[in-house]
Amino acid sequence: MNEELAITVGTAARAARERQGLTQGDVASQVGIAMEVYSRMERGRVLPSSTTLRRLSMVLRIRADTLLGLDGPTPPQEALTMALADREEDPPTLRRLVRALRPLNEEELKALGLVIQGVLAFRAR
């Protein structure tokens, strides 16, 4: 697998998904793949097949050449900055939280998700 290409596709897919306000589950469902596979794709650990790349392009409303990084270099940090800039409507506190969560791996995110669910359940009482 070409790791650089996988990271390029993942970074572009994530930025496009976030611009549209979709979850990973939303995209995976519409593309017809498992959410775990899509999550690995966004993290640059899986390269999509040509068929999946085409469906991903349609769902995310982004050109395949953009997903493949053929329309100019988009370093990961620049793509992250663009994704955050598109969410200016979010409160600053939420944007800071999102930036703090980005470096976490899948296991850490799942653990944090459980903590948040517990807090929300306690709060709902």
Side-chain angles (χ1 to χ4, degrees), residues 1 8 11 14-15 28 30 34 38 61 67 69-70 72-73 78 81 86 108 113 115 122-123:
M1 175 180 82
T8 298
T11 300
R14 181 179 192 157
Q30 291 178 45
Y38 180 74
R61 298 182 190 144
L67 281 171
L70 297 175
E78 182 182 328
T81 302
D86 289 339
E108 293 165 331
V115 171
F122 180 77
R123 187 175 148 213

Side-chain angles (χ1 to χ4, degrees), residues 24-35 37-38 52 55-56 59:
Q24 288 184 342
D26 294 334
V27 175
S29 173
Q30 291 178 45
V31 171
I33 59 176
M35 196 200 63
V37 172
Y38 180 74
T52 300
R55 281 187 253 157
L56 190 61
V59 167

